[in-house]
Amino acid sequence: MTGTVNKPITRAIMLQTLCAPCFNYCRYCLLSWNGRIIGAPWDRSAAYANRFYDWVRETRPELKFDFSFGSSMEHPELIEAIDFMNSIDSVMGKFLQLDGMKMRTDDELEALYSSLAAHGVQSVDFTFYGTEAYHDRFAARKGDYDLMIRSIRFALAAGIAVIADIPLTGDNIGMVEALIEELRGAGCTDIRFRIPHGEGRGVLIEPIRLKKHDFDALSDELKTHLNRSAFRTEGEWLALAESGELKTEENRTLLISLTEKNIERIEKMPFEELISETEALDETHYNAFPSFAELLKTYGDRNGERLFSYRDLFHFYRKRYALEHGVKVYDVTDERQSGSRRY
C-alpha cells in the first residue's frame, strides 16, 4: 500500500540560492558540491526574496519564511548579505554554518568575526570529521582543520557562541575523545554528535555507517553528546512502530531553490501558485511509497547494528523500494533543487 493518510501542514518556506563556492570537497556533501555554481545570482535572488517575504508577512503570516545561500558562506559581500538576512528576519542573519570557507590569516579571522558579531551574528557551527589529518583528508583540503580551530578562538573572542558538530562513523569513532579534548582546548564547550545522512554524496558513507556496539563502547560522558532518541537501529525503530509510539511526519518545510535555469519562470509565478506547485512535488513523491512504518515491517533488520535518523532510514528504504518496484519520481530530498523536508 502506498500513499500517505494525511497531507502534512506546510509550516515554513526556505528560499535558497546556491550562488557561493565551497572550498572543501567533503566525502559526504549533502549538496554534492562539484565546483560548479548552480544558484541564481545573489542580487536577483535577494530582490525576489524581499518580495516573497513581504507577501508572506501580509498574506500568509502563519508561515515562517527564511532565505539562505550556499554552497558555503563565502559570499563576496558577506556582511551586506547578513544585514539583508536580518532585514527579512531570516535565521541566517543570526546563525551561520561556516564549513568550506577560504583560508584566512589570524588577522583576517579576527576582522571577520568582529564584523560578524557587530552585524548581529549570534552563533556559528563548524563540522569536524575527526582529528586533524583525518579531517583534512575527508574534507579534501589540507589546513581546513587548523582554519576551523583558529576560527573557533576568534569567534568566541568576539562574543559569538560556537557549536562543534561531529558526524560519527565507524572510521572516526576512535578519535572522538582526542577530538573533543582539542575542541575544548580551543574553548568550545557545545559539542554535538550526529549520525551522517545518506543524501547527496552521503551514499558513500554507507560502508562506514556507525554501529551500535561501537557507540556503546564510548564512555558515558561521551555518549551524552548524541541524542540517541533521534538516532536508532532498525530494530529500535521497528519496536517503536510495533508499539504504536512511532510518530508520523505531520509538518513540512518547503525548499524553493533558485537556479540559473528556473529563476525567470519563478519570478513570473504568483507566490501562492509556487507554494502549491512545491507542495504537489512533496505529495507526489511521498504518495509513491508506502509509509515509513510499512517499509520498516518490510525491510527492517531487527538485529541490525547500524544507526539511522528517522529521515535517513525512511530515505534509505524509499531508495530500496524504488529500485525493487521501478518507481521513478522527482526527488524532493535533493537539496540542490526545490523540494521539502517533513518532520
Side-chain angles (χ1 to χ4, degrees):
M1 176 181 175
T2 60
T4 53
V5 176
N6 296 306
K7 293 182 180 180
I9 299 170
T10 299
R11 300 289 188 184
I13 295 170
M14 172 59 78
L15 183 72
Q16 74 170 12
T17 175
L18 302 178
C19 65
C22 182
F23 288 82
N24 290 348
Y25 288 87
C26 298
R27 236 163 99 191
Y28 88 124
C29 178
L30 173 66
L31 299 174
S32 299
W33 168 249
N34 62 3
R36 189 171 70 86
I37 290 173
I38 61 173
W42 166 260
D43 289 345
R44 190 172 177 181
S45 300
Y48 179 76
N50 203 31
R51 296 196 301 274
F52 206 160
Y53 167 75
D54 287 341
W55 178 86
V56 167
R57 189 173 53 177
E58 295 170 7
T59 310
R60 296 288 302 274
E62 78 281 7
L63 294 177
K64 176 73 173 75
F65 179 84
D66 283 299
F67 176 52
S68 68
F69 67 89
S71 295
S72 79
M73 299 300 98
E74 199 57 77
H75 191 291
E77 303 294 340
L78 180 57
I79 299 304
E80 288 81 353
I82 288 168
D83 287 344
F84 173 71
M85 299 293 189
N86 282 320
S87 76
I88 61 169
D89 303 319
S90 189
V91 67
M92 203 181 221
K94 299 287 188 289
F95 170 77
L96 298 179
Q97 216 295 333
L98 289 176
D99 298 337
M101 300 293 281
K102 70 181 181 182
M103 293 297 175
R104 285 177 168 86
T105 65
D106 283 356
D107 287 345
E108 289 170 329
L109 288 174
E110 182 176 22
L112 172 65
Y113 287 99
S114 294
S115 293
L116 293 179
H119 287 262
V121 173
Q122 298 173 351
S123 59
V124 294
D125 180 282
F126 299 95
T127 304
F128 288 85
Y129 301 113
T131 47
E132 186 167 10
Y134 182 86
H135 171 92
D136 284 357
R137 287 197 303 273
F138 198 100
R141 184 168 62 145
K142 186 173 178 57
D144 188 65
Y145 181 95
D146 176 69
L147 173 67
M148 294 200 300
I149 290 291
R150 289 186 295 119
S151 295
I152 287 173
R153 295 192 176 104
F154 285 108
L156 292 171
I160 299 173
V162 172
I163 301 165
D165 179 45
I166 304 175
L168 296 181
T169 69
D171 269 7
N172 72 9
I173 191 71
M175 306 176 193
V176 295
E177 186 171 2
L179 176 55
I180 286 178
E181 186 175 342
E182 291 181 23
L183 290 170
R184 287 175 176 164
C188 181
T189 57
D190 190 348
I191 300 168
R192 307 177 189 184
F193 292 163
R194 62 181 167 87
I195 307 300
H197 56 72
E199 298 174 30
R201 277 205 298 271
V203 66
L204 301 175
I205 292 296
E206 215 50 52
I208 58 171
R209 182 177 287 278
L210 186 68
K211 295 181 171 60
K212 179 178 178 294
H213 69 266
D214 290 324
F215 176 78
D216 288 344
L218 294 176
S219 69
D220 289 342
E221 191 278 327
L222 288 177
K223 289 177 187 173
T224 64
H225 294 285
L226 181 72
N227 178 5
R228 273 285 275 118
S229 64
F231 300 101
R232 303 171 185 260
T233 66
E234 291 174 84
E236 290 168 341
W237 285 117
L238 189 57
L240 272 184
E242 291 172 343
S243 69
E245 298 177 64
L246 185 68
K247 295 181 179 179
T248 57
E249 296 174 309
E250 299 176 346
N251 307 290
R252 66 185 166 197
T253 295
L254 302 181
L255 172 65
I256 298 171
S257 188
L258 300 175
T259 69
E260 295 174 335
K261 294 180 179 180
N262 72 12
I263 188 166
E264 184 172 356
R265 183 182 77 89
I266 285 178
E267 286 173 327
K268 295 175 181 178
M269 291 180 70
F271 295 118
E272 198 68 68
E273 184 179 326
L274 178 60
I275 290 172
S276 296
E277 178 182 89
T278 312
E279 288 175 333
L281 291 175
D282 168 87
E283 291 156 19
T284 299
H285 176 90
Y286 283 96
N287 287 338
F289 300 97
S291 69
F292 182 43
E294 292 172 308
L295 290 171
L296 270 168
K297 292 175 185 176
T298 303
Y299 297 129
D301 181 355
R302 195 174 298 275
N303 299 312
E305 283 275 301
R306 296 176 300 172
L307 292 167
F308 296 86
S309 68
Y310 180 114
R311 175 182 168 86
D312 199 30
L313 188 55
F314 196 5
H315 177 78
F316 184 77
Y317 287 156
R318 290 200 309 276
K319 286 175 63 178
R320 181 172 174 182
Y321 183 91
L323 283 173
E324 293 180 0
H325 296 271
V327 174
K328 295 181 180 179
V329 64
Y330 179 91
D331 185 5
V332 294
T333 70
D334 185 339
E335 296 204 0
R336 295 168 297 178
Q337 60 192 26
S338 296
S340 63
R341 275 193 175 272
R342 291 191 173 193
Y343 60 97

